[in-house]
Amino acid sequence: MAGQKKSKQRDALLHELQSRCDHPTAEELYLSVKKDFPNLSLGTVYRNLALLDSENEAVKISADGADRYDGNVMPHCHFSCRVCKRMFDIPLPHESLPITDDVIKSVDGTIEKYAVTLYGVCRECKKI
């Protein structure tokens, strides 16, 4: 991270985030990492997640009133289930973008990152 002092707590948060595929909240990450860092505060988790997001080492996803975080920074979409509140990755073929060239060309500037989240009911919840 450019201009930022290395931090064992930040490294542990990033490692935890990259090892998960459930798109945890800051509170969920806090509970996971606190086991190894008993003095860790929730405020520290929020500050480090904001820094990781700003440095493009993690992605903040706001969905259904909750901020979730993703350690996968490669282009992909998300699906958020309105029933169970779980979030899933939707992988994209390498050459595919979820936004069209027309949209990219219509922006008077440079797109640095984007997020696409689809909302609905997941397969498991549809069975109920």
Side-chain angles (χ1 to χ4, degrees), residues 51-69:
L51 182 61
L52 290 169
D53 180 53
S54 73
E55 296 287 336
N56 296 317
E57 292 190 54
V59 178
K60 178 180 174 180
I61 308 157
S62 298
D64 289 333
D67 289 337
R68 297 185 167 276
Y69 296 86

Side-chain angles (χ1 to χ4, degrees), residues 9 13 26-27 29-31 33-34 37-49:
Q9 293 175 336
L13 280 168
E27 292 83 2
L29 284 168
Y30 166 74
L31 292 173
V33 176
K34 188 165 178 62
F37 294 90
N39 295 326
L40 181 69
S41 73
L42 187 55
T44 297
V45 171
Y46 275 107
R47 281 190 297 280
N48 279 290
L49 288 171

Side-chain angles (χ1 to χ4, degrees), residues 21-110:
C21 60
D22 62 342
H23 305 82
T25 63
E27 292 83 2
E28 291 167 335
L29 284 168
Y30 166 74
L31 292 173
S32 294
V33 176
K34 188 165 178 62
K35 296 170 190 168
D36 294 325
F37 294 90
N39 295 326
L40 181 69
S41 73
L42 187 55
T44 297
V45 171
Y46 275 107
R47 281 190 297 280
N48 279 290
L49 288 171
L51 182 61
L52 290 169
D53 180 53
S54 73
E55 296 287 336
N56 296 317
E57 292 190 54
V59 178
K60 178 180 174 180
I61 308 157
S62 298
D64 289 333
D67 289 337
R68 297 185 167 276
Y69 296 86
D70 193 347
N72 178 1
V73 296
M74 299 305 293
H76 66 283
C77 298
H78 295 100
F79 177 83
S80 177
C81 178
R82 68 173 171 79
V83 177
C84 66
K85 307 297 185 203
R86 289 183 298 159
M87 184 172 281
F88 307 93
D89 285 343
I90 300 173
L92 299 172
H94 179 67
E95 65 282 348
S96 173
L97 288 176
I99 56 176
T100 66
D101 287 336
D102 290 338
V103 171
I104 294 170
K105 291 174 186 171
S106 72
V107 174
D108 187 21
T110 302

